[in-house]
Amino acid sequence: MGKTVGIIGAGAWGTALASALAREGNDVVLWARNERVADEINRGHTNSRYLPGFPLAESLRATTDCAEAAGGKEFVLVASPSLYLASTVAQLRAVPSVQDGRACIGALTKGFVDSPDGPKLILETMEALLPRCYEKNLVYIAGPSHAEEVATGKLTGLVAASENPKNSIRFRELLCVKGIMAYSSFDVVGVQICAAAKNVIAVVFGSLDALSETSAFFGDNAASFLLAGGLNEIQTLGFALGATHPETFTSIAGVGDLDVTCRSKYGRNRRFGRDLILRGVLSRFSGIDDLIARIGELGYLPEGVVACKFIRQIADRRRLRLPICDGLYRILNKEITPGDFLQQVASAL
């Protein structure tokens, strides 16, 4: 028997997963900020703004009313970008089935969220905003899962991580639809760090990819070198923040998600890295803060830009050596060029 599901956020990933769940007979309502997006999903069963070219399940419904999408649902999945996570989750507090803890809540958002005490992880941020009954009961979902392939039913692996084993299993069972294999994890911190930090490495990887088209110095060997070095930095960051399982970094949440984010043609962070080289997109921004404030001007959202700033803050506080992440920060802050950095990092790794 199908489940009732509310997905909060009609970006590419939220839309693709909503459609995949709806095709399996679940009653799915998708919340969109934009009324045109919601109308198009309801009338044409497409989302040309965020997932163009992919037909959606006809049973999928969309709304601009967050309470309607989440109210009375057995499962609620938050798919808002990290920049808007706090304001989005705050809207859920007024939903009766959230107030009393009936809804099982999961997060698809990748990255960190700013706070007066420094960068916070996604679930940490959500716990502070939701009723206390959700403390240690939220579920974080990640894995190598580009929306474009999920939308067409191509094989995808996901991890549902939670400190509550029952909730992890509930989401794992919900997500095991056609084309998706889901697994449970108790390493909530490790899975969140993998999902956030891999976007930073993917930006650098995209820059390297673009440079390799014109430079005899960079090739496939350098790409794998960078991938391995990036995984080391993700693991260093993860253990510093409380990751509990080494295998998190060598499984689909770690190396799997990192590899697809760096290499896939669908990756927005990889695309941004290439745009740094091929289109000179930094020329209109004064530095990383200006870039984040005006990131909508890019026409797409590379989460690695925001995560890069927060990882720099965490690394400074904890005295972590993360040369790739630090290098991207300096690139985006216009302190160094991508080409110079990549040659420097090759000798530092």
Side-chain angles (χ1 to χ4, degrees):
M1 184 177 177
K3 304 295 185 180
T4 56
V5 184
I7 295 188
I8 311 302
W13 182 207
T15 299
L17 187 57
S19 184
L21 293 174
R23 285 197 176 101
E24 291 294 308
N26 296 294
D27 180 8
V28 185
V29 181
L30 178 64
W31 175 73
R33 291 178 181 272
N34 188 293
E35 189 171 345
R36 290 185 179 181
V37 171
D39 287 344
E40 182 187 340
I41 292 171
N42 290 328
R43 296 178 182 179
H45 312 299
T46 57
N47 184 346
S48 59
R49 180 168 183 173
Y50 297 110
L51 196 62
F54 296 90
L56 306 176
E58 293 189 6
S59 62
L60 175 62
R61 294 178 292 126
T63 179
T64 55
D65 185 341
C66 190
E68 179 185 351
K73 302 300 188 297
E74 297 168 83
F75 296 90
V76 175
L77 278 161
V78 179
S80 169
S82 62
L83 282 171
Y84 316 115
L85 180 72
S87 61
T88 300
V89 174
Q91 296 184 57
L92 294 176
R93 287 188 61 94
V95 177
S97 54
V98 172
Q99 286 180 336
D100 60 18
R102 280 182 290 143
C104 190
I105 298 180
L108 302 171
T109 302
K110 297 176 176 66
F112 301 89
V113 179
D114 199 10
S115 82
D117 300 321
K120 302 293 185 183
L121 292 171
I122 298 302
L123 295 193
E124 187 178 11
T125 300
M126 291 176 64
E127 284 184 354
L129 294 167
L130 291 169
R132 290 193 63 182
C133 59
Y134 285 101
E135 187 175 348
K136 300 187 183 302
N137 287 315
L138 298 174
V139 181
Y140 190 78
I141 295 156
S145 50
H146 280 302
E148 293 81 358
E149 294 199 353
V150 172
T152 56
K154 291 187 177 181
L155 182 62
T156 297
L158 294 175
V159 172
S162 180
E163 293 185 62
N164 183 324
K166 291 183 179 179
N167 285 349
S168 173
I169 292 170
R170 288 183 68 190
F171 262 108
R172 185 188 72 195
E173 292 175 346
L174 174 72
L175 294 168
C176 282
V177 297
K178 183 178 180 181
I180 297 178
M181 298 179 67
Y183 304 87
S184 291
S185 171
F186 304 128
D187 189 1
V188 179
V189 171
V191 173
Q192 289 181 88
I193 292 298
C194 288
K198 54 95 178 183
N199 287 328
V200 178
I201 306 304
V203 175
V204 182
F205 192 96
S207 295
L208 176 65
D209 184 61
L211 285 169
S212 68
E213 296 176 1
T214 57
S215 170
F217 187 68
F218 301 117
D220 291 345
N221 292 345
S224 292
F225 187 28
L226 176 62
L227 202 70
L231 184 61
N232 283 339
E233 293 194 16
I234 293 171
Q235 185 167 277
T236 296
L237 180 64
F239 283 133
L241 293 180
T244 56
H245 292 64
E247 58 267 28
T248 296
F249 303 96
T250 56
S251 68
I252 59 175
V255 68
D257 205 0
L258 174 64
D259 180 72
V260 77
T261 305
C262 287
R263 299 186 188 277
S264 175
K265 62 183 179 181
Y266 298 121
R268 292 186 300 273
N269 294 283
R270 178 182 184 272
R271 173 185 172 183
F272 178 70
R274 289 180 56 82
D275 285 348
L276 288 175
I277 304 299
L278 302 178
R279 296 179 54 215
V281 294
L282 274 184
S283 62
R284 51 185 144 144
F285 303 103
S286 61
I288 191 169
D289 289 330
D290 186 37
L291 172 59
I292 292 172
R294 300 162 53 202
I295 202 164
E297 295 179 18
L298 294 175
Y300 59 98
L301 180 57
E303 286 274 10
V305 172
V306 184
C308 178
K309 177 181 177 178
F310 292 141
I311 289 174
R312 168 67 176 263
Q313 293 176 6
I314 294 168
D316 284 348
R317 290 183 180 187
R318 295 176 177 267
R319 299 182 180 180
L320 303 177
R321 182 177 176 275
L322 306 174
I324 299 174
C325 294
D326 182 69
L328 179 61
Y329 177 89
R330 290 188 291 135
I331 290 170
L332 299 183
N333 211 34
K334 308 188 89 166
E335 299 170 17
I336 190 172
T337 68
D340 289 343
F341 163 68
L342 286 168
Q343 295 200 44
Q344 289 177 17
V345 81
S347 61
L349 289 174

